[in-house]
Amino acid sequence: MIRYALIAALAAFPASVQAQQSDVMSDISALIDARSEESAKTARQLWEWAELGYQEQKSSDLLKQMLKSNGFKITSGVADIPTAFTAEFGTEGPVIAILAEYDALPGINQDAIATRSPIAGKSAAHACGHNLFAAGSVEAAIAVSKWLEQTGTPGRVRLYGTPAEEGGSGKVYMVRAGLFNDVDIALHWHAGDKNSAAARTTLANRSAKFRFRGVSAHAAGAPDKARSALDGVEAFNMMINMMREHIPQQSRIHYVITEGGTAPNVVPDFAEVFYYVRHPQPSEVDAIWTRLEDAARGAALGTGTTVDWEVIHGNNPLLVNEPLAKMMDAKLRQVGGVTYTPEEQEFAERIYASFDKPRLKLGSQEEIQPYNVSLGYGSTDVGDVSYATPTVGLNTATWVPGTSAHSWQSSAASGMSIGFKGTQVAAKTLTLAAIELYTNPDLRAEAKAEFDKARGPDYQYKSLLGDRDPPLDYRK
């Protein structure tokens, strides 16, 4: 049935790429709606697998198979990452990239219901909606390929399968490998609690695992013989917590102790703490990081332990491109927001009741938020892509308004129809944006001029994670 509906939708495409926007919108909606069941099935399957960064083998294979069956040429294992890939359709013309993420988050788990309900035996979840991100981007890439084929428009659409966004910086390695060098424009989107294409930048960040090593002994019988690695971690954390008063206001530092010993009566000879540092400017991340390393050395010296560290990831801030952002905002308004069924409304009301002072009202999922330029306090490896090629994105209301990312509420909605509806909004908007870019060379030129101006004449790319290889085992 989907196949016949898809053929019918394609038959309705206008012969000219200069067709009225309303006609294009109608045709794109028909095409993507015809595939909605398959898109939801893909999103749900990725949600169930919930594979962690650099371990997304089943997720990656599923997406590649979908794209291959729709005529895309697949290149697997790019940038020395087994689960990374590119999929391209077309042979000439502008290259429009669409990014897709599919890694889950560890340490959180939730069923797709409106009350707190972990799934037994599951230790990860799509609490950032990357299952939706992948499904929506793949659907957009397929829709764009059908439009290119039907209209005969010169152009290539290239989907980037990008693993390990959550603390693994998968896209950074793809940028370093030169995989975006021939891209004209990159498009992305993200799950969220609102519909917005506002121009919002992000924080630069870097992370590392600090590993302290000491000497074990009986904690009661021979404590003088021991040197506690956990003491080293705790002394280090105390120094950083005091340092918070003396760093720039927009900075963020957070950590988790990933290993601290196994029994109170055994002085641990190994302990590890995992740190993030963030700031809007990469130079400030570097400056704070130097102090972090000095504190680690001091903590080791003071506790008679040793310390070393491994940088795990690092992202540049997102470079805003306003000509592209305003275009994306217009396309999102053309598509519109998300409307709930009575069952979805009941689900949403129960979720909403669990929030503490939500920032958005229930019902705002039907609206498009005002356009503005602002600083966001998250971080993403899309930032490095945005310094390699002009880049633009959007958020859609895949979650109940007021939902925080990385929560059980976001995971719940990401596995059910509310999430799937927001994904359809994203797929349609990305497809319309790509069509605009293929048919509007003036916009491409304006975006490129803005990009060159923002980077500056002397710009040289610098990765915040250095020259390390992808940390393929960082989630193991």
Side-chain angles (χ1 to χ4, degrees), residues 236 240 243 246-248 286-296:
F236 178 38
I240 300 307
M243 193 177 83
H246 311 290
I247 59 176
D286 280 336
I288 295 169
W289 196 264
T290 297
R291 297 170 67 186
L292 204 74
E293 292 180 347
D294 287 344

Side-chain angles (χ1 to χ4, degrees), residues 185-186 188 196-203 280-281 316-329 371-378 380 382-395 446-456:
I185 308 288
H188 68 102
S196 174
R200 195 178 194 196
T201 188
T202 60
L203 300 181
Q281 298 300 323
N316 278 288
L318 195 65
L319 186 63
V320 163
N321 192 296
E322 278 217 79
L324 293 179
K326 291 177 179 178
M327 179 274 294
M328 187 69 82
D329 179 74
Y371 176 84
N372 58 20
V373 180
S374 64
L375 169 66
Y377 283 90
T380 173
V382 178
D384 286 66
V385 176
S386 74
Y387 278 88
T389 190
T391 302
V392 64
L394 74 154
N395 291 83
E446 185 182 4
K448 182 62 163 62
E450 177 78 7
F451 172 73
D452 290 339
K453 179 181 177 181
R455 292 202 312 175

Side-chain angles (χ1 to χ4, degrees), residues 15-51:
S16 169
V17 295
Q18 302 299 323
Q20 295 295 319
Q21 284 190 351
S22 59
D23 293 335
V24 175
M25 175 64 213
S26 176
D27 297 331
I28 292 304
S29 288
L31 173 58
I32 291 176
D33 286 343
R35 293 182 53 86
S36 61
E37 292 182 21
E38 185 167 357
S39 176
K41 182 179 177 181
T42 300
R44 177 68 190 199
Q45 182 62 80
L46 300 181
W47 184 91
E48 290 176 353
W49 284 332
E51 295 178 293

Side-chain angles (χ1 to χ4, degrees), residues 17 43 52 72 91 101 118 170 231 267 289 380 394 408 464 476:
V17 295
L52 298 177
F72 282 72
T91 57
E101 298 172 6
D231 284 354
V267 176
W289 196 264
T380 173
L394 74 154
W408 70 261
L464 283 172
K476 294 181 179 179

Side-chain angles (χ1 to χ4, degrees), residues 31-308:
L31 173 58
I32 291 176
D33 286 343
R35 293 182 53 86
S36 61
E37 292 182 21
E38 185 167 357
S39 176
K41 182 179 177 181
T42 300
R44 177 68 190 199
Q45 182 62 80
L46 300 181
W47 184 91
E48 290 176 353
W49 284 332
E51 295 178 293
L52 298 177
Y54 296 126
Q55 301 173 40
E56 319 98 329
Q57 194 61 61
K58 290 186 290 187
S59 301
S60 176
D61 288 346
L62 174 61
L63 301 175
K64 288 188 291 184
Q65 182 56 45
M66 290 179 63
L67 290 157
K68 184 177 180 180
S69 67
N70 280 277
F72 282 72
K73 179 183 177 181
I74 309 297
T75 304
S76 299
V78 297
D80 297 322
I81 302 172
T83 55
F85 68 91
T86 61
E88 183 167 314
F89 184 95
T91 57
E92 60 181 14
V95 179
I96 304 301
I98 300 178
L99 308 183
E101 298 172 6
Y102 35 88
D103 62 318
L105 279 161
I108 188 168
N109 178 15
Q110 170 64 27
D111 202 350
I113 61 177
T115 55
R116 183 71 174 107
S117 181
I119 298 173
K122 196 173 183 181
S123 59
H126 273 290
C128 209
H130 292 181
N131 62 313
L132 307 175
F133 192 158
S137 291
V138 166
E139 290 305 317
I142 292 171
V144 171
S145 75
K146 302 303 182 185
W147 180 86
L148 289 171
E149 184 176 46
Q150 184 69 22
T151 63
T153 303
R156 289 174 283 168
V157 57
R158 184 184 301 154
L159 184 126
Y160 285 74
T162 64
E165 188 277 336
E166 297 288 358
S169 292
K171 297 180 193 65
V172 176
Y173 300 99
M174 300 172 87
V175 170
R176 275 190 358 191
L179 297 179
F180 291 90
N181 289 354
D182 64 340
V183 171
D184 289 272
I185 308 288
L187 308 179
H188 68 102
W189 77 283
H190 206 286
D193 68 335
K194 61 182 177 294
N195 304 298
S196 174
R200 195 178 194 196
T201 188
T202 60
L203 300 181
N205 73 337
R206 180 183 290 146
S207 73
K209 293 181 178 180
F210 289 81
R211 295 164 178 142
F212 287 78
R213 292 172 171 83
V215 178
S216 290
H218 195 291
D224 57 309
K225 305 297 184 183
R227 298 294 181 268
S228 172
L230 181 59
D231 284 354
V233 165
E234 291 186 311
F236 178 38
N237 292 345
M238 184 185 300
M239 292 179 189
I240 300 307
N241 287 328
M242 289 188 291
M243 193 177 83
R244 293 178 191 276
E245 184 182 357
H246 311 290
I247 59 176
Q249 183 69 24
Q250 293 176 319
S251 308
R252 297 288 187 271
I253 303 177
H254 25 270
Y255 63 85
V256 291
I257 298 175
T258 49
E259 189 163 348
T262 56
N265 62 340
V266 179
V267 176
D269 62 0
F270 178 79
E272 181 184 83
V273 60
F274 194 178
Y275 263 86
Y276 274 47
V277 171
R278 308 182 198 246
H279 189 275
Q281 298 300 323
S283 59
E284 288 294 338
V285 171
D286 280 336
I288 295 169
W289 196 264
T290 297
R291 297 170 67 186
L292 204 74
E293 292 180 347
D294 287 344
R297 294 187 188 98
L301 181 63
T303 56
T305 59
T306 62
V307 65
D308 57 75

